[in-house]
mmCIF file of all heavy atoms in Angstrom:
data_model
loop_
_atom_site.group_PDB
_atom_site.id
_atom_site.type_symbol
_atom_site.label_atom_id
_atom_site.label_comp_id
_atom_site.label_asym_id
_atom_site.label_seq_id
_atom_site.Cartn_x
_atom_site.Cartn_y
_atom_site.Cartn_z
ATOM 1 N N LEU A 1 21.952 -96.889 75.081
ATOM 2 C CA LEU A 1 22.676 -98.129 75.144
ATOM 3 C C LEU A 1 23.792 -98.255 74.155
ATOM 4 O O LEU A 1 24.940 -98.598 74.477
ATOM 5 C CB LEU A 1 21.730 -99.325 75.058
ATOM 6 C CG LEU A 1 22.370 -100.674 75.252
ATOM 7 C CD1 LEU A 1 23.137 -100.766 76.553
ATOM 8 C CD2 LEU A 1 21.348 -101.774 75.150
ATOM 9 N N PRO A 2 23.565 -97.925 72.831
ATOM 10 C CA PRO A 2 24.675 -98.100 71.854
ATOM 11 C C PRO A 2 25.884 -97.250 72.247
ATOM 12 O O PRO A 2 27.005 -97.721 72.154
ATOM 13 C CB PRO A 2 24.011 -97.553 70.570
ATOM 14 C CG PRO A 2 22.610 -97.828 70.720
ATOM 15 C CD PRO A 2 22.301 -97.526 72.212
ATOM 16 N N GLY A 3 25.683 -96.046 72.684
ATOM 17 C CA GLY A 3 26.810 -95.191 73.131
ATOM 18 C C GLY A 3 27.518 -95.795 74.322
ATOM 19 O O GLY A 3 28.753 -95.724 74.485
ATOM 20 N N LEU A 4 26.774 -96.317 75.282
ATOM 21 C CA LEU A 4 27.348 -96.937 76.501
ATOM 22 C C LEU A 4 28.219 -98.187 76.093
ATOM 23 O O LEU A 4 29.295 -98.346 76.622
ATOM 24 C CB LEU A 4 26.288 -97.330 77.479
ATOM 25 C CG LEU A 4 25.485 -96.187 78.111
ATOM 26 C CD1 LEU A 4 24.292 -96.719 78.853
ATOM 27 C CD2 LEU A 4 26.347 -95.397 79.035
ATOM 28 N N LEU A 5 27.664 -98.946 75.147
ATOM 29 C CA LEU A 5 28.455 -100.087 74.641
ATOM 30 C C LEU A 5 29.758 -99.720 73.969
ATOM 31 O O LEU A 5 30.819 -100.278 74.242
ATOM 32 C CB LEU A 5 27.537 -100.995 73.738
ATOM 33 C CG LEU A 5 26.384 -101.695 74.370
ATOM 34 C CD1 LEU A 5 25.547 -102.318 73.360
ATOM 35 C CD2 LEU A 5 26.825 -102.596 75.480
ATOM 36 N N ARG A 6 29.683 -98.700 73.140
ATOM 37 C CA ARG A 6 30.875 -98.177 72.512
ATOM 38 C C ARG A 6 31.855 -97.641 73.465
ATOM 39 O O ARG A 6 33.091 -97.884 73.363
ATOM 40 C CB ARG A 6 30.531 -97.099 71.462
ATOM 41 C CG ARG A 6 29.999 -97.691 70.160
ATOM 42 C CD ARG A 6 29.847 -96.613 69.096
ATOM 43 N NE ARG A 6 28.989 -95.543 69.440
ATOM 44 C CZ ARG A 6 27.629 -95.461 69.258
ATOM 45 N NH1 ARG A 6 27.085 -96.514 68.682
ATOM 46 N NH2 ARG A 6 26.950 -94.464 69.611
ATOM 47 N N ALA A 7 31.391 -96.899 74.427
ATOM 48 C CA ALA A 7 32.287 -96.350 75.514
ATOM 49 C C ALA A 7 32.953 -97.467 76.279
ATOM 50 O O ALA A 7 34.044 -97.241 76.800
ATOM 51 C CB ALA A 7 31.434 -95.423 76.417
ATOM 52 N N ALA A 8 32.356 -98.582 76.394
ATOM 53 C CA ALA A 8 32.893 -99.731 77.164
ATOM 54 C C ALA A 8 33.826 -100.522 76.271
ATOM 55 O O ALA A 8 34.425 -101.540 76.681
ATOM 56 C CB ALA A 8 31.754 -100.618 77.665
ATOM 57 N N GLY A 9 34.036 -100.116 75.023
ATOM 58 C CA GLY A 9 34.963 -100.788 74.118
ATOM 59 C C GLY A 9 34.325 -101.939 73.302
ATOM 60 O O GLY A 9 34.984 -102.677 72.624
ATOM 61 N N LEU A 10 33.014 -102.102 73.390
ATOM 62 C CA LEU A 10 32.361 -103.103 72.678
ATOM 63 C C LEU A 10 31.945 -102.592 71.275
ATOM 64 O O LEU A 10 31.280 -101.544 71.161
ATOM 65 C CB LEU A 10 31.153 -103.536 73.394
ATOM 66 C CG LEU A 10 31.383 -104.119 74.803
ATOM 67 C CD1 LEU A 10 30.058 -104.354 75.594
ATOM 68 C CD2 LEU A 10 32.166 -105.382 74.706
ATOM 69 N N VAL A 11 32.327 -103.262 70.292
ATOM 70 C CA VAL A 11 31.969 -102.871 68.894
ATOM 71 C C VAL A 11 31.346 -104.062 68.195
ATOM 72 O O VAL A 11 31.535 -105.181 68.515
ATOM 73 C CB VAL A 11 33.258 -102.398 68.096
ATOM 74 C CG1 VAL A 11 33.772 -101.102 68.746
ATOM 75 C CG2 VAL A 11 34.285 -103.481 68.030
ATOM 76 N N GLY A 12 30.517 -103.776 67.187
ATOM 77 C CA GLY A 12 29.917 -104.837 66.456
ATOM 78 C C GLY A 12 28.795 -105.514 67.188
ATOM 79 O O GLY A 12 28.421 -106.635 66.802
ATOM 80 N N VAL A 13 28.259 -104.889 68.223
ATOM 81 C CA VAL A 13 27.144 -105.480 68.935
ATOM 82 C C VAL A 13 25.886 -105.208 68.168
ATOM 83 O O VAL A 13 25.676 -104.038 67.731
ATOM 84 C CB VAL A 13 27.046 -104.877 70.370
ATOM 85 C CG1 VAL A 13 25.853 -105.442 71.086
ATOM 86 C CG2 VAL A 13 28.285 -105.197 71.134
ATOM 87 N N ALA A 14 25.088 -106.219 67.989
ATOM 88 C CA ALA A 14 23.813 -106.003 67.161
ATOM 89 C C ALA A 14 22.710 -106.796 67.859
ATOM 90 O O ALA A 14 22.882 -107.701 68.576
ATOM 91 C CB ALA A 14 24.023 -106.536 65.741
ATOM 92 N N ALA A 15 21.503 -106.300 67.546
ATOM 93 C CA ALA A 15 20.294 -106.952 68.031
ATOM 94 C C ALA A 15 19.160 -106.639 67.098
ATOM 95 O O ALA A 15 19.171 -105.636 66.377
ATOM 96 C CB ALA A 15 19.980 -106.544 69.442
ATOM 97 N N GLU A 16 18.197 -107.530 67.115
ATOM 98 C CA GLU A 16 16.907 -107.214 66.410
ATOM 99 C C GLU A 16 15.803 -107.330 67.381
ATOM 100 O O GLU A 16 15.860 -108.227 68.288
ATOM 101 C CB GLU A 16 16.738 -108.245 65.293
ATOM 102 C CG GLU A 16 17.722 -108.076 64.115
ATOM 103 C CD GLU A 16 17.381 -108.955 62.999
ATOM 104 O OE1 GLU A 16 16.199 -109.278 62.772
ATOM 105 O OE2 GLU A 16 18.325 -109.253 62.258
ATOM 106 N N ALA A 17 14.833 -106.563 67.199
ATOM 107 C CA ALA A 17 13.720 -106.573 68.100
ATOM 108 C C ALA A 17 12.398 -106.356 67.270
ATOM 109 O O ALA A 17 12.422 -105.664 66.241
ATOM 110 C CB ALA A 17 13.793 -105.492 69.162
ATOM 111 N N TYR A 18 11.329 -106.899 67.830
ATOM 112 C CA TYR A 18 10.008 -106.694 67.193
ATOM 113 C C TYR A 18 9.025 -106.526 68.326
ATOM 114 O O TYR A 18 8.971 -107.323 69.218
ATOM 115 C CB TYR A 18 9.647 -107.907 66.315
ATOM 116 C CG TYR A 18 8.241 -107.880 65.851
ATOM 117 C CD1 TYR A 18 7.875 -107.051 64.757
ATOM 118 C CD2 TYR A 18 7.266 -108.657 66.367
ATOM 119 C CE1 TYR A 18 6.578 -106.969 64.307
ATOM 120 C CE2 TYR A 18 5.984 -108.628 65.937
ATOM 121 C CZ TYR A 18 5.596 -107.805 64.904
ATOM 122 O OH TYR A 18 4.336 -107.784 64.478
ATOM 123 N N PHE A 19 8.206 -105.475 68.225
ATOM 124 C CA PHE A 19 7.164 -105.278 69.187
ATOM 125 C C PHE A 19 5.906 -104.983 68.446
ATOM 126 O O PHE A 19 5.811 -103.939 67.772
ATOM 127 C CB PHE A 19 7.505 -104.152 70.153
ATOM 128 C CG PHE A 19 6.504 -104.012 71.224
ATOM 129 C CD1 PHE A 19 6.696 -104.795 72.354
ATOM 130 C CD2 PHE A 19 5.465 -103.163 71.186
ATOM 131 C CE1 PHE A 19 5.700 -104.751 73.440
ATOM 132 C CE2 PHE A 19 4.560 -103.041 72.221
ATOM 133 C CZ PHE A 19 4.696 -103.837 73.355
ATOM 134 N N PRO A 20 4.964 -105.867 68.468
ATOM 135 C CA PRO A 20 3.741 -105.675 67.681
ATOM 136 C C PRO A 20 2.846 -104.682 68.338
ATOM 137 O O PRO A 20 2.147 -104.989 69.395
ATOM 138 C CB PRO A 20 3.152 -107.098 67.694
ATOM 139 C CG PRO A 20 3.550 -107.695 69.004
ATOM 140 C CD PRO A 20 4.935 -107.126 69.171
ATOM 141 N N ILE A 21 2.733 -103.483 67.780
ATOM 142 C CA ILE A 21 1.935 -102.443 68.399
ATOM 143 C C ILE A 21 0.485 -102.503 68.065
ATOM 144 O O ILE A 21 -0.344 -101.791 68.668
ATOM 145 C CB ILE A 21 2.499 -101.024 68.058
ATOM 146 C CG1 ILE A 21 2.486 -100.790 66.539
ATOM 147 C CG2 ILE A 21 3.901 -100.868 68.620
ATOM 148 C CD1 ILE A 21 2.800 -99.371 66.164
ATOM 149 N N ALA A 22 0.146 -103.375 67.160
ATOM 150 C CA ALA A 22 -1.304 -103.453 66.709
ATOM 151 C C ALA A 22 -1.855 -104.857 66.987
ATOM 152 O O ALA A 22 -2.840 -105.254 66.463
ATOM 153 C CB ALA A 22 -1.470 -103.115 65.272
ATOM 154 N N SER A 23 -1.218 -105.587 67.882
ATOM 155 C CA SER A 23 -1.643 -106.947 68.196
ATOM 156 C C SER A 23 -2.536 -106.930 69.408
ATOM 157 O O SER A 23 -2.331 -106.195 70.360
ATOM 158 C CB SER A 23 -0.404 -107.821 68.457
ATOM 159 O OG SER A 23 -0.784 -109.043 68.952
ATOM 160 N N PRO A 24 -3.483 -107.863 69.511
ATOM 161 C CA PRO A 24 -4.299 -107.945 70.712
ATOM 162 C C PRO A 24 -3.466 -108.267 71.937
ATOM 163 O O PRO A 24 -3.821 -107.954 73.058
ATOM 164 C CB PRO A 24 -5.269 -109.083 70.388
ATOM 165 C CG PRO A 24 -5.312 -109.159 68.936
ATOM 166 C CD PRO A 24 -3.990 -108.738 68.425
ATOM 167 N N ALA A 25 -2.316 -108.896 71.739
ATOM 168 C CA ALA A 25 -1.451 -109.226 72.878
ATOM 169 C C ALA A 25 -0.788 -108.040 73.503
ATOM 170 O O ALA A 25 -0.271 -108.107 74.589
ATOM 171 C CB ALA A 25 -0.373 -110.228 72.421
ATOM 172 N N CYS A 26 -0.751 -106.906 72.827
ATOM 173 C CA CYS A 26 -0.075 -105.708 73.330
ATOM 174 C C CYS A 26 -0.707 -105.237 74.625
ATOM 175 O O CYS A 26 0.012 -104.807 75.505
ATOM 176 C CB CYS A 26 -0.166 -104.574 72.280
ATOM 177 S SG CYS A 26 0.837 -104.932 70.860
ATOM 178 N N ASP A 27 -2.035 -105.226 74.705
ATOM 179 C CA ASP A 27 -2.681 -104.791 75.901
ATOM 180 C C ASP A 27 -2.266 -105.667 77.113
ATOM 181 O O ASP A 27 -1.954 -105.132 78.172
ATOM 182 C CB ASP A 27 -4.212 -104.769 75.740
ATOM 183 C CG ASP A 27 -4.700 -103.681 74.837
ATOM 184 O OD1 ASP A 27 -3.983 -102.696 74.651
ATOM 185 O OD2 ASP A 27 -5.770 -103.832 74.249
ATOM 186 N N LEU A 28 -2.276 -106.954 76.886
ATOM 187 C CA LEU A 28 -1.856 -107.878 77.935
ATOM 188 C C LEU A 28 -0.408 -107.663 78.351
ATOM 189 O O LEU A 28 -0.107 -107.618 79.538
ATOM 190 C CB LEU A 28 -2.051 -109.271 77.499
ATOM 191 C CG LEU A 28 -1.737 -110.366 78.486
ATOM 192 C CD1 LEU A 28 -2.509 -110.295 79.788
ATOM 193 C CD2 LEU A 28 -1.947 -111.783 77.881
ATOM 194 N N LEU A 29 0.496 -107.493 77.359
ATOM 195 C CA LEU A 29 1.880 -107.302 77.660
ATOM 196 C C LEU A 29 2.089 -105.966 78.448
ATOM 197 O O LEU A 29 2.826 -105.908 79.400
ATOM 198 C CB LEU A 29 2.662 -107.221 76.339
ATOM 199 C CG LEU A 29 4.215 -106.979 76.537
ATOM 200 C CD1 LEU A 29 4.818 -108.061 77.446
ATOM 201 C CD2 LEU A 29 4.840 -106.953 75.169
ATOM 202 N N GLU A 30 1.386 -104.874 77.997
ATOM 203 C CA GLU A 30 1.541 -103.628 78.738
ATOM 204 C C GLU A 30 1.012 -103.760 80.086
ATOM 205 O O GLU A 30 1.691 -103.233 81.047
ATOM 206 C CB GLU A 30 0.773 -102.542 77.905
ATOM 207 C CG GLU A 30 0.875 -101.181 78.576
ATOM 208 C CD GLU A 30 0.136 -100.104 77.853
ATOM 209 O OE1 GLU A 30 -0.607 -100.419 76.868
ATOM 210 O OE2 GLU A 30 0.317 -98.892 78.177
ATOM 211 N N THR A 31 -0.102 -104.370 80.306
ATOM 212 C CA THR A 31 -0.645 -104.543 81.670
ATOM 213 C C THR A 31 0.276 -105.350 82.553
ATOM 214 O O THR A 31 0.564 -104.967 83.667
ATOM 215 C CB THR A 31 -2.040 -105.228 81.579
ATOM 216 O OG1 THR A 31 -2.927 -104.455 80.796
ATOM 217 C CG2 THR A 31 -2.596 -105.445 82.965
ATOM 218 N N ALA A 32 0.846 -106.393 81.992
ATOM 219 C CA ALA A 32 1.812 -107.216 82.714
ATOM 220 C C ALA A 32 3.041 -106.452 83.100
ATOM 221 O O ALA A 32 3.532 -106.590 84.264
ATOM 222 C CB ALA A 32 2.154 -108.522 81.973
ATOM 223 N N THR A 33 3.504 -105.637 82.192
ATOM 224 C CA THR A 33 4.753 -104.891 82.474
ATOM 225 C C THR A 33 4.523 -103.874 83.538
ATOM 226 O O THR A 33 5.355 -103.649 84.443
ATOM 227 C CB THR A 33 5.176 -104.156 81.165
ATOM 228 O OG1 THR A 33 5.409 -105.184 80.146
ATOM 229 C CG2 THR A 33 6.461 -103.394 81.380
ATOM 230 N N ILE A 34 3.354 -103.109 83.469
ATOM 231 C CA ILE A 34 3.081 -102.108 84.455
ATOM 232 C C ILE A 34 2.763 -102.724 85.803
ATOM 233 O O ILE A 34 3.270 -102.217 86.841
ATOM 234 C CB ILE A 34 1.933 -101.240 83.949
ATOM 235 C CG1 ILE A 34 2.371 -100.517 82.698
ATOM 236 C CG2 ILE A 34 1.404 -100.316 85.075
ATOM 237 C CD1 ILE A 34 1.234 -99.805 81.965
ATOM 238 N N THR A 35 1.995 -103.757 85.882
ATOM 239 C CA THR A 35 1.596 -104.298 87.133
ATOM 240 C C THR A 35 2.705 -105.208 87.829
ATOM 241 O O THR A 35 2.662 -105.378 89.029
ATOM 242 C CB THR A 35 0.286 -105.089 87.083
ATOM 243 O OG1 THR A 35 0.477 -106.099 86.157
ATOM 244 C CG2 THR A 35 -0.874 -104.169 86.638
#
């Protein structure tokens, strides 16, 4: 994605993300995403 954005002429695009890999909610999120 960063390279695609640069190739499209977009600069200074930023984002922050957090994914809790040790949280009890992870199993539920993974199951919901897959199903």
